[in-house]
Amino acid sequence: MLKRLRNWLINSRHFLFSWYTKDSQETQEPERSLVELPAEMRDRLVEAVDNLPNNPADQEAILSVLDETFDCWFKNPNDTNNSVVILSDPVATISRILSETLAEWIEKKQVPMRLLPLTARPIEIETIKSKLEYYLEQQCPKNNFDKQGLEVVVIPNLSWFFLRSLEGLEGIEYLQSLLCKGSENRFWIIGMGQVGWEYLNLIYNIEAYCGKVLILPKIESEELQEWLEPIINELDIIFDEPRLDQKLLNNNKDNKTNYFDLLVDISEGVSKVAVQGFLKSVKYEEIDEEEKVEEDETKSHPKKIVANTPSLQDLPALESADQYLLYSLLLQGDLTISELAKTLGDEELEVRARVQVLRRQGVVEQQGQVLKINPIYYPRLKQELANNNFVINGE
């Protein structure tokens, strides 16, 4: 009996261990005819994702904390906090989230708003402080609703107002001095990535100068499904059978529910990562024979658009210099080559060479002159940096 059991284990080893191997030749299920979407269809899908509205859960969380904090300050501005800081994951576009959420809120509150008119970090880093002084020390605008001389100041992304260099931190020091005074007529709304905020806390204890700090909530499976539903319906996307292990754990859930549960799990609830995982999973698949409608043999086989099991990209092996470079992008958001060299204290040519390697590997993306982290690598990159004692999320 033991001999037969041993022989069975040997003969079945491929089946037993294929679930856990990374070898592409040892797949859990038979290989299927999945192919990449044509360029036209891919562009259509990417455009639909780019045009998605902000995650409704983010807007609800922001509006709730703003109403509560602002109303308390409005009733008693001398004794209560006069600011709200909104923190997002560093791969999110916090400036867009804030600007779109605040438009309706400001109209409802009927107070003047001073939105700092920068959409990126000033090219001359040494001018950050002078630009802030120019924008913030002008007289508060008056109107019919401004009976008490109040105004709301919005900094869409605090990362635009500093660079990790000697002259690049003067803007933060200046803002700290303003946060300490004038609470009776100025309410602040500040957006920023969480990693950059933790860095400023470490060197300036900036949270002590601010009021309420809100970390945007992680997206839930049902919220993500509802958010992407218009795209799913428009392209008639169907959902693949889940992996056998997931099916065993969730045997009472349909394919779509299983898909979104897994997508939220691997993305750690970061909506930007989840969307990229969704894009990566969508493929064309040949329709099975029994599904095909009778047609002329000369016609190409019909295909269906299927979202198969979502996954993240494997993080390539990173040298120490790469880790510092990528951490700078998480810490300070969008950076140019020149800014990245200044914050790292390295020669620009050396930084450019490392960026080229990371771009080819897909970890870094470039839009115009601006460098960003590819969101699909974020969860694994964050974990690797945390394991190497970089300051991530306050740890």
Side-chain angles (χ1 to χ4, degrees):
M1 185 179 297
L2 289 173
K3 185 177 180 180
R4 287 200 300 271
L5 176 60
R6 185 183 63 182
N7 291 337
W8 180 84
L9 286 171
I10 292 172
N11 293 332
S12 304
R13 178 158 50 179
H14 173 83
F15 171 77
L16 290 171
F17 294 113
S18 62
W19 296 344
Y20 307 100
T21 182
K22 292 184 178 179
D23 187 343
S24 61
Q25 300 302 314
E26 296 184 76
T27 54
Q28 176 185 337
E29 297 180 11
E31 192 171 333
R32 300 163 57 243
S33 55
L34 294 174
V35 295
E36 296 294 330
L37 295 177
E40 182 181 351
M41 179 62 72
R42 178 72 180 176
D43 291 344
R44 182 180 166 193
L45 180 59
V46 171
E47 183 181 3
V49 165
D50 288 342
N51 291 328
L52 278 171
N54 287 319
N55 174 15
D58 288 345
Q59 294 182 313
E60 290 173 12
I62 292 171
L63 292 173
S64 175
V65 75
L66 281 179
D67 281 338
E68 177 186 352
T69 310
F70 178 84
D71 290 346
C72 288
W73 170 79
F74 186 82
K75 292 174 184 175
N76 195 359
N78 290 313
D79 296 334
T80 55
N81 295 315
N82 68 322
S83 61
V84 170
V85 179
I86 312 296
L87 300 181
S88 68
D89 289 289
V91 292
T93 311
I94 184 62
S95 56
R96 176 189 170 189
I97 296 171
L98 267 187
S99 60
E100 293 185 4
T101 304
L102 289 177
E104 184 177 339
W105 184 82
I106 287 291
E107 184 177 351
K108 180 179 71 172
K109 293 300 180 183
Q110 294 293 306
V111 292
M113 179 184 73
R114 192 192 297 269
L115 174 65
L116 298 196
L118 291 182
T119 57
R121 189 177 291 102
I123 297 174
E124 295 86 11
I125 303 304
E126 61 276 5
T127 67
I128 290 178
K129 181 181 177 182
S130 61
K131 288 182 182 295
L132 283 170
E133 289 174 338
Y134 175 76
Y135 295 138
L136 294 174
E137 293 186 4
Q138 300 175 59
Q139 186 178 6
C140 175
K142 306 295 182 187
N143 62 29
N144 294 333
F145 307 104
D146 186 26
K147 303 300 184 184
Q148 302 179 22
L150 304 179
E151 71 169 342
V152 174
V153 177
V154 180
I155 301 179
N157 189 346
L158 189 58
S159 297
W160 295 339
F161 297 93
F162 84 99
L163 192 68
R164 192 173 52 169
S165 64
L166 185 60
E167 67 275 15
L169 290 166
E170 292 177 352
I172 298 299
E173 294 171 354
Y174 171 68
L175 282 173
Q176 279 184 309
S177 70
L178 291 186
L179 288 167
C180 291
K181 61 184 180 181
S183 64
E184 68 280 357
N185 60 12
R186 181 173 275 173
F187 186 84
W188 298 79
I189 302 173
I190 301 170
M192 194 176 190
Q194 194 173 357
V195 176
W197 181 255
E198 296 301 340
Y199 169 76
L200 293 180
N201 259 338
L202 187 66
I203 63 170
Y204 282 128
N205 193 24
I206 193 170
E207 191 166 344
Y209 297 85
C210 299
K212 181 71 174 179
V213 177
L214 168 69
I215 300 175
L216 291 180
K218 302 298 183 183
I219 196 166
E220 300 290 339
S221 176
E222 297 81 5
E223 295 169 342
L224 181 59
Q225 181 174 333
E226 184 177 353
W227 192 33
L228 294 175
E229 197 68 41
I231 298 175
I232 295 166
N233 292 336
E234 179 185 349
L235 299 180
D236 198 23
I237 297 173
I238 63 173
F239 292 84
D240 199 8
E241 288 277 340
R243 296 192 310 257
L244 183 56
D245 55 345
Q246 190 180 12
K247 191 184 297 185
L248 293 173
L249 291 172
N250 304 296
N251 56 1
N252 61 335
K253 296 183 179 180
D254 58 29
N255 291 352
K256 181 187 285 190
T257 303
N258 274 311
Y259 173 90
F260 281 103
D261 285 351
L262 181 57
L263 185 55
V264 165
D265 184 50
I266 65 172
S267 66
E268 299 181 2
V270 181
S271 57
K272 192 88 169 182
V273 178
V275 166
Q276 293 301 312
F278 169 73
L279 285 174
K280 179 175 177 285
S281 73
V282 176
K283 302 284 191 296
Y284 260 152
E285 182 182 6
E286 296 279 354
I287 294 180
D288 295 334
E289 290 295 331
E290 59 269 20
E291 296 181 85
K292 293 177 183 176
V293 179
E294 290 185 8
E295 59 179 336
D296 186 71
E297 290 293 332
T298 60
K299 292 184 180 178
S300 60
H301 289 163
K303 295 182 175 68
K304 56 187 176 183
I305 302 177
V306 58
N308 62 335
T309 303
S311 63
L312 299 180
Q313 292 289 121
D314 289 331
L315 192 66
L318 298 175
E319 299 179 8
S320 177
D322 297 331
Q323 293 177 357
Y324 279 99
L325 188 155
L326 295 171
Y327 181 69
S328 293
L329 291 176
L330 289 183
L331 189 153
Q332 298 185 252
D334 306 343
L335 291 171
T336 64
I337 291 284
S338 175
E339 292 168 345
L340 190 54
K342 286 180 182 178
T343 194
L344 290 170
D346 294 334
E347 293 294 329
E348 194 168 317
L349 283 176
E350 180 184 348
V351 173
R352 189 182 301 276
R354 292 311 311 164
V355 166
Q356 288 301 104
V357 173
L358 292 168
R359 285 184 63 199
R360 283 195 296 270
Q361 293 172 334
V363 184
V364 170
E365 297 177 332
Q366 183 166 348
Q367 299 174 6
Q369 299 298 316
V370 174
L371 303 171
K372 301 181 178 183
I373 297 292
N374 184 341
I376 204 165
Y377 288 95
Y378 171 61
R380 290 176 178 171
L381 174 60
K382 179 181 69 172
Q383 187 60 54
E384 173 152 334
L385 293 175
N387 291 342
N388 285 278
N389 297 322
F390 288 85
V391 177
I392 301 286
N393 297 341
E395 299 176 2

